[in-house]
Amino acid sequence: MNYSPGLAIATAAFEIAVAGWALRGPGNRSIIRTTAGILALLASYQLIEVGICANSAAAGFLPRLAFIAVTWLPPLGLLLIAKLHRPRSRMAYGNAYSMLAAAAGIVIWIALDRGFVSSSVCSALFARYTNPMPRFALYSGFYWLGLLGMIVHSGYGVKTCRDPHRRRLLFQVFAGTLAFVLPSLVLSRYMAPAEGALPSVMCHFALILALFLTRLVYLERRPVEEEQTPAIARTS
């Protein structure tokens, strides 16, 4: 079945729209910018995949660019969690910055290694990439360590954060990460059309994470908007 770009384009449009909406409104700018960055990276993968599947035989650098885009997602997720946690966690920041440094090295590696992705094949909804071992095993270890870190740090934050507002925001990251990782694993393991397409499957399911991040932005903006509302309007 031929690849249909409609879902990827619609997902990217939503993620870009939310990122723009987030950046134009109130709220903690550091939290908002990091959240918008994650949404923009999610959208960029969708658009890159559309380009790959338009002509996978002549995709050139695009498959590697797709992996470069998603490389930054777990480190930025960890950085967002560190910014949300109260009290400030040195461990959370340390892990986030370590993953960002590792991501920078991996991006340079992928950019220079023409053999990192040897081929790509597109089906109805997903793109399958062929990555030589053991290089891809190293990349996968980095990526899954980052996702596990997001789950552990956000879950720990939900339990221990002393600020109720920040705790609600941390829950959005925790629930959103679980809600896209677990279905991705199940689908790629048990449904034949998705076998071997885990990176693509995860980025499509990351729409769920985008929805939770949308709510995170809404919750972050709401206290500021309430403070800016005149007292007479709040009591009328």
Side-chain angles (χ1 to χ4, degrees), residues 191-214:
M191 293 190 67
E195 288 182 9
L198 184 57
S200 180
V201 171
M202 291 186 72
C203 282
H204 284 296
F205 270 109
L207 174 60
I208 300 173
L209 174 61
L211 292 172
F212 276 95
L213 292 179
T214 303

Side-chain angles (χ1 to χ4, degrees), residues 36 79 153:
L79 182 61
H153 278 293

Side-chain angles (χ1 to χ4, degrees), residues 30-50:
S30 181
I31 292 172
I32 293 295
R33 282 194 291 264
T34 305
T35 305
I38 295 171
L39 290 164
L41 285 171
L42 290 172
S44 70
Y45 174 85
Q46 302 292 345
L47 297 177
I48 293 167
E49 183 177 283
V50 171

Side-chain angles (χ1 to χ4, degrees), residues 126-229:
F126 308 117
R128 294 182 177 85
Y129 304 98
T130 301
N131 304 85
M133 295 292 183
R135 286 175 287 186
F136 189 61
L138 293 173
Y139 179 87
S140 297
F142 157 82
Y143 202 82
W144 284 107
L145 182 63
L147 290 178
L148 178 62
M150 287 179 63
I151 294 170
V152 171
H153 278 293
S154 60
Y156 179 76
V158 169
K159 184 176 181 180
T160 63
C161 184
R162 299 174 185 174
D163 183 330
H165 173 64
R166 294 295 183 92
R167 189 162 58 244
R168 285 193 295 271
L169 302 186
L170 282 163
F171 179 77
Q172 307 310 309
V173 182
F174 175 71
T177 304
L178 281 178
F180 95 89
V181 169
L182 295 181
S184 299
L185 291 173
V186 171
L187 185 67
S188 62
R189 175 66 179 84
Y190 294 106
M191 293 190 67
E195 288 182 9
L198 184 57
S200 180
V201 171
M202 291 186 72
C203 282
H204 284 296
F205 270 109
L207 174 60
I208 300 173
L209 174 61
L211 292 172
F212 276 95
L213 292 179
T214 303
R215 177 160 174 76
L216 184 153
V217 173
Y218 167 75
L219 292 173
E220 172 60 22
R221 292 174 65 167
R222 189 170 64 178
V224 178
E225 292 172 343
E226 289 176 351
E227 290 175 3
Q228 294 174 346
T229 301

Side-chain angles (χ1 to χ4, degrees), residues 6 22 33 65 73 80-81 90 95 111 121 139 141 150-151 168 197 228 233:
R33 282 194 291 264
L65 184 60
L73 291 173
L80 175 61
I81 293 165
R90 290 184 179 180
N95 288 341
V121 178
Y139 179 87
M150 287 179 63
I151 294 170
R168 285 193 295 271
Q228 294 174 346

